[in-house]
Amino acid sequence: MAAPASEYKDRQLIAVIGDEDSVTGLLLAGVGHVNPPPDAQKNFLVVDQKTDNAAIEAAFDRFTDERKDIAILLINQHIAERIRHRVDSYTAAFPSLLEIPSKDHPYDPEKDSVLKRVRRLFGE
Amino acid sequence: MTDVLGPDIVEQSSSRSELQPQLDKLDSLLERYLNLIHEYQTARQEISRHLSSGFFSLARANFNNSTGTRYGQDYYDERMQATRRISISGTAESPKFESRLDSTEPASPNDLQDEKASENSKEVPVDPLRWFGILVPPALRTAQANFRAAVEGPVPKLASITKQMRALEPEISRLRKSIKRLRNENVDSQ
């Protein structure tokens, strides 16, 4: 049951939903990408206090559903908390979703959707 | 009479003999799964370490920034092109994520310089450090190195491990159900 490579061969980018420092750091690493104009879509969203949850959800949908060029979506865990129902119910094969710590919010295994599934499997 | 009992006995013994291989299979799946959890946690520690060093270096760069501005989104290049990318190989059930440098980025400067210059110089991606000026503080370079280390190592590793875990989870659940059913059949038939 070999999967068609076409399903993921165009998925090459790492997208980010994070606070400014997280996005700045990851863009410094070279993951940032802006599509050519007029589309000019970015593969990142900088979230601050003024960003509402609808905007975060819209970016989440864009990166996980609409765009077919994202391989991995990184999201700060404290931002994932704001759209937790979406993150926990995300089951698509691609892109792969990873919660990452931010400067002010260290990684909390209790909140991680991957480890939540582990706990469920072991009946906790 | 024997006609009625016959199939019953066969079924009873077959469900017993079916049970052991399934239990063995479950054991081996759980062992694989536990190993993956261990790998996941190790890669988690690795990414946390790189990122916290990165945040610390970025804070230090900002603290020492005499212009009073922050190294942040005001300076992002609106035409940026990704140089760190991911390639996915393997099957959709168990894909392998790997970090790679985009081919348009010169691997070693003297290697491609001449060709690139004659081709199309606009195609060569700019080092994101340049967004923040010609002379950036060493702390910002350190931050870049920390974030690169996170993106190159633990990020694709975590993505691959997560996929393998996801693939095993329904298998384990299915097998557990089937074992439960076989056990119930055995109890019923006793």
Side-chain angles (χ1 to χ4, degrees), chain A residues 27-28 32-35 40-44, chain B residues 72-82 122 124-132:
Chain A
L27 296 194
L28 274 174
H33 196 82
V34 179
N35 288 350
Q41 274 216 42
K42 300 180 172 86
N43 67 337
F44 56 89
Chain B
Q73 56 183 328
D74 291 346
Y75 295 94
Y76 296 170
D77 178 1
E78 293 293 316
R79 294 158 304 165
M80 66 178 87
Q81 299 290 300
K122 276 186 287 183
V124 181
V126 178
D127 182 342
L129 272 181
R130 293 277 160 271
W131 306 342
F132 303 106

Side-chain angles (χ1 to χ4, degrees), chain A residues 3-11:
Chain A
S6 57
E7 201 179 317
Y8 52 72
K9 77 165 176 10
D10 293 328
R11 297 189 175 274

